[in-house]
Amino acid sequence: MSAAWRSRSMEPRDIARVVEIERASFPDPWSAAMFADELDCATGLHVVAEEDDGDVVGFLIARQYPDEWHLMDLAVRDDRRRTGVAAGLLDGFLRAAGCAGRRIILEVRPSNAGALALYEARGFAVIGRRPRYYTPSGEDAVVMERTPDEGPGFSGPVLAIETSCDDTSAAVVHTTGGVLANVVHSQDAIHERYGGVVPEVASRAHVERMTVVVREALRQAGIAMDDLAAVAATVGPGLIGALLVGVQTAKAIAWSRCLPFLPVNHLHGHLAAVWLGDPAAPFPMVTLVASGGHTSLIRVEAKNSFALLGQTLDDAAGEAFDKGARLLGLGYPGGRELDVLAESGDPGAFPFPIGLRRSERPDFSFSGVKTALYYLLRDMTESERSARAADIAASYREAIVTALVEKTLRTAVDQGARTVAVAGGVAANSLLRRRLSAEGEARGLHVVVPPFAYCTDNAAMVGAAALQAPVLQYPEYLDIDASASLVLGQWLPAPRSAIA
Ligand code: KG4
Ligand code: ZN
């Protein structure tokens, strides 16, 4: 019976035991000084197999080079040979090295039949011989190579995770473009009592929900984690603590299943909602991204080519809706409730200012309309306010939507765009949807207003954007952090090692 063992990093205190095993295993053993040098090597991988009683019974040493791994030493104490320790150490190493997509090279004595058989069983092939490689014996070495299991390409289901603000979301998107599952757990009920998103509360709620949301997405997609081809997550912009939950979850899954990690810019995600909604929409597009945090007009040349044309100079459109809803005493966040109330009101009842209407620039401003609402309500009695609530909501919505639609369509025409589209939570607004469709088509543009589920924050759009994202293999992605301030067109935050 072999004792249970686990692998852990080799430490200087292990060297004496390791040298004993080495001497009993090979005619040309490494010295203690050689092991000490290896432990100092930052690109090395050094592990020991340790039994439950703390006894070291085997070890593996490898080094990583820019395009290959060199498996340098693998030995097991003689009384533990043929008990699976060598195979276990090797499989652990292959997992780490295979994830990196690099080939592995090793030398072995032609007389070491057990080792040759183990390596062959794990996909190594003999590619040459090094004469008189071992000293002092002068024995030749056989050189073996194992090519990476997968190249940088991948195909199949991709798990995508979105936690940039207050929605915990996981989706499964196939590399062919289909959405297999899109699960969103909104935190609105949690933040409602504070009247806004509390970042630390959002992060904690993401931690609590992440696992169940990922499991549910896999269940709805009808797949297991082992079926995944890649893992994607929003890396920015957004609330840093919230982003980190999704990024770390995705990295952990990628590492445990040896999958590539795809970092996604949240804004690219909102833009991808357009081709999720209409895969045939022609480029170039002008897309309005209007949410609680952004109001931007973006030229989309192709699925991976974006240019910012203009944006809000103050509040985001969603923020203007939410602040209006708050002044009117509607729910939280309020944009949807204001929209519902506005449907039954007269949009011409009250004149609200339309920000930057006469400016040629494709920019927006919503602070004026918000202030006008504040003064209008201040000067009304309580009974006037409730009697005219629907008319006020309709007039307020009219001013915001008019600004959005006029600027968006003018910009799309000026840009020679073939498609005009809207994305982000505000794209759920019923007047915006109706008006952009009708007026866009009247100008001969192809109009895309994606389904509601792809407009508010969701992981399906992140999965769709991930198909254009950099493909990061282990260990490259370990160095990628979340970034609160990622800008349009930026795919990756600066690696941690590049930050002084
Ligand atoms: O994209 P999103 O889910 O989250 C952010 O990234 O901000 O957008 C949420 C925003 C909120 O401001 C919400 O009130 C607004 O979208 N929203 C609406 C409607 N539904 C959601 N605004 C106007 N009309 C709606 N029907
Ligand atoms: Zn968003």
Side-chain angles (χ1 to χ4, degrees):
M1 256 318 276
S2 61
W5 64 275
R6 61 183 185 95
S7 60
R8 63 161 171 82
S9 284
M10 189 185 293
E11 292 168 22
R13 68 181 161 96
D14 299 317
I15 289 180
R17 296 286 299 121
V18 162
V19 168
E20 263 178 53
I21 297 170
E22 170 84 2
R23 288 209 179 116
S25 305
F26 304 119
D28 310 288
W30 284 20
S31 65
M34 289 163 82
F35 283 107
D37 280 352
E38 276 307 310
L39 283 190
D40 283 341
C41 172
T43 58
L45 186 120
H46 336 97
V47 289
V48 293
E50 182 184 62
E51 291 190 343
D52 287 347
D53 59 5
D55 216 5
V56 169
V57 295
F59 64 89
L60 180 149
I61 291 190
R63 253 197 214 191
Q64 191 184 352
Y65 295 93
D67 35 55
E68 66 184 35
W69 279 89
H70 193 172
L71 176 51
M72 302 173 78
D73 203 349
L74 170 59
V76 174
R77 204 169 75 191
D78 47 8
D79 63 328
R80 292 291 188 276
R81 299 221 178 107
R82 282 172 294 281
T83 63
V85 178
L89 284 168
L90 181 60
D91 288 341
F93 164 66
L94 292 179
R95 186 165 199 83
C99 283
R102 298 184 173 100
R103 71 173 192 151
I104 305 166
I105 293 287
L106 61 84
E107 286 91 13
V108 60
R109 281 181 183 70
S111 56
N112 191 346
L116 278 163
L118 172 64
Y119 292 134
E120 265 164 21
R122 292 299 188 279
F124 285 85
V126 174
I127 56 164
R129 221 172 158 98
R130 293 195 211 286
R132 307 190 59 76
Y133 178 77
Y134 293 100
T135 50
S137 69
E139 210 179 329
D140 287 357
V142 167
V143 184
M144 299 185 90
E145 177 193 47
R146 186 179 190 272
T147 48
D149 291 337
E150 284 170 72
F154 57 91
S155 66
V158 175
L159 174 70
I161 296 177
E162 155 65 38
T163 59
S164 66
C165 189
D166 60 341
D167 291 299
T168 316
S169 182
V172 180
V173 173
H174 201 276
T175 42
T176 52
V179 178
L180 307 179
N182 186 28
V183 177
V184 183
H185 194 304
S186 163
Q187 298 179 10
D188 283 350
I190 298 173
H191 300 288
E192 186 170 15
R193 78 176 97 147
Y194 307 107
V197 177
V198 184
E200 182 59 17
V201 173
S203 314
R204 284 165 194 268
H206 285 309
V207 171
E208 287 163 10
R209 289 160 172 71
M210 194 74 259
T211 311
V212 72
V213 168
V214 167
R215 283 213 185 109
E216 181 59 16
L218 293 172
R219 195 193 65 77
Q220 287 185 15
I223 62 163
M225 244 182 225
D226 287 330
D227 301 323
L228 291 171
V231 188
T234 303
V235 292
L239 303 172
I240 190 69
L243 287 165
L244 280 170
V245 179
V247 172
Q248 299 303 348
T249 304
K251 281 187 189 178
I253 295 172
W255 178 81
S256 73
R257 295 301 192 276
C258 212
L259 299 170
F261 171 70
L262 316 172
V264 176
N265 180 319
H266 183 77
L267 292 170
H268 300 177
H270 275 305
L271 294 171
V274 177
W275 47 93
L276 264 185
D278 182 354
F283 293 93
M285 305 175 177
V286 163
T287 301
L288 168 69
V289 176
S291 69
H294 302 275
T295 305
S296 308
L297 274 171
I298 296 162
R299 181 180 171 91
V300 183
E301 203 64 49
K303 286 182 178 176
N304 60 357
S305 173
F306 320 113
L308 180 67
L309 303 171
Q311 58 190 327
T312 180
L313 306 180
D314 39 59
D315 291 348
E319 216 176 336
F321 275 115
D322 295 345
K323 286 178 177 169
R326 198 183 167 109
L327 289 171
L328 284 164
L330 304 170
Y332 170 85
R336 197 184 67 82
E337 290 77 2
L338 192 147
D339 187 24
V340 171
L341 180 63
E343 287 291 290
S344 59
D346 170 10
F350 298 96
F352 279 103
I354 295 167
L356 303 182
R357 190 173 209 177
R358 275 176 291 278
S359 157
E360 290 295 312
R361 296 186 45 79
D363 290 327
F364 304 97
S365 167
F366 298 106
S367 60
V369 68
K370 181 188 67 186
T371 310
L373 176 63
Y374 173 80
Y375 286 118
L376 178 75
L377 292 171
R378 190 195 60 177
D379 298 338
M380 280 180 164
T381 63
E382 190 58 50
S383 60
E384 271 176 320
R385 272 185 226 137
S386 57
R388 306 297 306 275
D391 289 343
I392 299 168
S395 305
Y396 185 74
R397 179 181 74 165
E398 175 75 18
I400 296 173
V401 169
T402 301
L404 292 173
V405 171
E406 280 186 4
K407 279 281 159 76
T408 301
L409 290 178
R410 194 194 305 162
T411 306
V413 171
D414 288 352
Q415 287 284 319
R418 296 176 65 197
T419 296
V420 67
V422 62
V426 177
N429 188 272
S430 39
L431 181 66
L432 177 60
R433 297 171 86 86
R434 287 198 295 270
R435 204 172 277 174
L436 195 75
S437 298
E439 297 182 15
E441 276 158 22
R443 285 172 170 78
L445 292 161
H446 183 85
V447 182
V448 184
V449 182
F452 177 70
Y454 298 151
C455 288
T456 49
D457 285 351
N458 69 92
M461 70 182 195
V462 173
L467 303 182
Q468 280 75 48
V471 181
L472 302 180
Q473 304 286 344
Y474 176 91
E476 282 99 330
Y477 60 72
L478 296 181
D479 216 19
I480 297 301
D481 248 329
S483 162
S485 55
L486 212 63
V487 294
L488 183 80
Q490 193 183 352
W491 294 90
L492 279 175
R496 219 176 300 155
S497 53
I499 300 167

